[in-house]
Amino acid sequence: MRTLRKIGFAAGLALSVAVPAHAFASEPTIPPEPATFPAEGKIHYVARDSILEFKALPEYHEPDWVTEKYVKTGKLPPVKDRLPKEPLVFKTANMTDGTGVYGDTMRHVIGGRPEGWNYGAGQTQGWGGIDIGLSECLTRTAPLFQVEAKDTEPLPNLAKSWDWSSDGHKLTMHLIEGAKWSDGVPFNADDVMFYWDDEVVDPNVSPLNGATPETFGVGTTLKKVDDYTVEWTFKEAFPRQYLYAMAYGTFCPGPAHILKPQHPKYSKNTYDQFKNAFPPEYMNLPVMGAWVPVEYRPDDIIVMRRNPYYWKVDEKGNQLPYLNELQYKLSTWADRDVQAVAGSGDFSNLEQPENFVASLKRAADKNAPARLAFGPRLIGYNLRMNFSANGWGNPDERGQAIRELNRNEDFRKAVTMAVDRKALGDSLVKGPFTAIYPGGFSSGTSFYDRKSTVYYPFVNFLAGTAGGKNVEIVMLVNNDYTTDKSLAEGVVAQMEKLGLRVVLNGVNGTQRDAIQYSGRFDWLIRRNDQELTSVVQNTEQLAPVGPKTSWNHRAPESGEVDLMPFEKDLVDIVNKFVTTQDNDQRADLMRQFQKISTENVYNVGLTEYPGALIINKRFSNIPQGTPIFMFNWAEDSIVRERIFVAADKQAKYELYPEELPGKPGDKGPM
Ligand code: BQZ
């Protein structure tokens, strides 16, 4: 048994975390087999090409009231003229309840708040499915949870097809032709190029969800070929992986005809004025999504109405969406669970274990208004340390010394051994839900390999072992979630035995993102994102492959990322993964990644558990076994534009019945 070496640091900070001789480090091992937790609602796997296609249909339909109130009065062209030549057609065979009928609304409850509508400039709309519903992206991946891994490639979306050059360095993408923004203005390559040139490549702009040029490969370029064709050029050959980065979060273009005039390159605006040019009160921002924001009441509700130019249909030619309205009640994330099981809300991702038991009890009642089904263990939390020692976030002397500590392998091992993961999991919820999670990939992802996962078991260091003066570490935490706060408080208590005084900096989600992206933190608690639950989505966030891709290690304004040796290995593995087509090689690369990242404690896993989808029973076409999180959140995976409510189950919840969105910037519906 090795003894933890004395850890002491100059750097203006005398820290000695001396562990008494009788206390030993734990030997690295693999994590214990997690308690089996049968995911309910088995996924019905289908072929990738059985979900959708693009084709012209002999006839098209719309809600009768749209024809009567808007087409016959000349306010809108006929539906066939509002659709592209070949709309996206959802195949009936992939719709559990077949083609649907128009009517009703889906009442979301969310814990975030809208900063504004400028997604491309980094503003959040409050999460919880708002931005997912507004944003249509070049490709789509969320529905791929129902496609076997070997058959998986992103689905076409705004990009209806693509061709690789023979040498694999060029990708020609063909955009959907004739689709229009919700204000009737054509969508085309100019929208794609504005997003790329003026929001991703422009170093003064950071789109929401963090797209950077390196998200698509170092040195990658994009150019317009014609109105409906763009061409990617990559340094690597056949980097098919980047098709995932062209899906939601990282390649969802906004309306250039509205945004460009506000951009500093084309106006007298500052970058701040550009970012804030579309405040939450700005209604009817043109979208490619199925619903348009028509009403915003602060701390109360956002209402969205159906987009009359939406470019997707069912096989009978019914223009989608079936649901006329979406509502987002502005509350808390915990309240979302409560309202979904009570029936005053329609949807929740049950992701906070503190609510599991009460939600299960309520949903078990045969008259319960909502279905609740657990999926695989894909919700996890990591403690992430700021590894930058060359200036990211401009730390003061104390902060710099902490970063030096964070970069010390023995320090990280001491911290990970001091985490009592069983106690943390039990503090959230008792029972078979939580599992010991050392960090790295979620055990619910197909790339997970327990034997490649290095786990340093809990060591019960005796309290008061620290020599010298205690070190103070500031830990950033998202106060919007009970679970984030619970875990943070557990870490504070457990670190005391190491003589580490962890002080919480609890802020709301928007503030947390801003502080995190600027590097102004020592440690942070963060719920896992797609790179750890699907691996193929947001893959660049697995390691610092670019100056701004890692969650906890980025470059200072002018510099490089000061990679530690093991991080260089992680970067190499991720770069190889991106250009490897062979599935066995990809699986092996991710086993190597898992071993190196957990052996070196790249992040300190805390706990992981399954989430559950809660959805009101009146909705049809909910895909069986939809996980709340995998390639994306369930708001995307359930494919809301195909969901309907049978006529005899429709409730009168619509707030703007028979209304359509108004003109950009106008208040309210038309
Ligand atoms: C789901 C999701 C849809 C962001 C957000 C929020 C932000 C993070 C994360 C989740 C919320 C819900 O998650 O918790 O269940 O509805 O919105 O986007 O946590 O603070 O920055 O990454 O997705």
Side-chain angles (χ1 to χ4, degrees), residues 536-552:
V536 292
Q537 198 69 44
N538 298 16
T539 311
E540 76 284 353
Q541 288 170 343
L542 282 173
V545 296
K548 295 199 289 184
T549 60
S550 157
W551 290 116
N552 49 302

Side-chain angles (χ1 to χ4, degrees), residues 60-68 71 76-80 82 102 306 308 317-319:
Y60 297 107
H61 312 287
E62 63 190 352
D64 292 341
W65 56 269
V66 175
T67 312
E68 293 306 315
V71 177
L76 279 178
V79 62
K80 69 175 177 48
R82 305 199 309 265
Y102 292 116
R306 66 179 300 108
N318 295 313
Q319 184 188 32

